């Protein structure tokens, strides 16, 4: 998982949006609980924003240079699949999730 330490190479900001109570956000909540510390330790200058909101469907947004953003819906994905989505987004803005 060497890519985890390279997030800030292409990404300028990472945002995770989810509902604090919705079952559809349970994997996203688990991903954050299990991975945030490692991601932040390996990328201390990368803003990783965690946003909770009632009724929000789980999403992962990556912001790149020049304001380019890519967003992926995370509903129905497990923790491993969310990790793979993040890995693809870390490759650059031209990668489709």
């Amino acid at each position: 998982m060497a890519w985890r330490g390279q997030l800030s190479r292409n990404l300028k900001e990472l945002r995770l949006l989810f509902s604090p109570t919705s079952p559809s956000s349970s994997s996203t909540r688990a991903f954050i609980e299990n991975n945030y510390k490692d991601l932040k330790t390996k990328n201390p200058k990368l803003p990783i924003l965690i946003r909770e909101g009632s009724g929000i469907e789980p999403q992962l947004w990556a912001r790149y240079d020049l304001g380019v953003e890519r967003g992926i819906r995370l509903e129905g994905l497990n923790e491993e699949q969310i990790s793979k989505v993040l890995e693809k987004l870390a490759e650059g803005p031209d990668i489709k999730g």
Side-chain angles (χ1 to χ4, degrees):
M1 291 207 239
W3 63 268
R4 288 177 171 253
Q6 301 296 318
L7 284 178
S8 56
R9 193 173 98 225
N10 289 322
L11 294 174
K12 299 302 176 198
E13 179 183 275
L14 184 65
R15 275 176 280 151
L16 289 138
L17 294 84
F18 64 98
S19 170
T21 57
S22 171
S24 65
S25 290
S26 63
S27 292
T28 304
R29 289 191 302 269
F31 176 81
I32 292 167
E33 289 172 14
N34 296 326
N35 295 281
Y36 175 82
K37 184 177 179 181
D38 182 52
L39 292 172
K40 194 60 180 174
T41 300
K42 292 179 178 176
N43 301 278
K45 295 184 179 182
L46 177 68
I48 301 176
L49 309 175
I50 309 298
R51 299 293 183 249
E52 294 179 317
S54 185
I56 293 177
E57 60 184 57
Q59 302 172 41
L60 176 65
W61 284 87
R63 187 171 55 84
Y64 304 92
D65 279 331
L66 304 174
V68 175
E69 292 190 346
R70 297 290 179 255
I72 304 292
R73 293 178 58 189
L74 302 176
E75 188 171 357
L77 301 181
N78 62 32
E79 280 186 71
E80 184 178 329
Q81 291 168 321
I82 293 171
S83 186
K84 288 186 186 295
V85 165
L86 179 55
E87 182 178 4
K88 285 183 182 179
L89 287 173
E91 293 174 12
D94 297 329
I95 304 300
K96 302 293 185 228

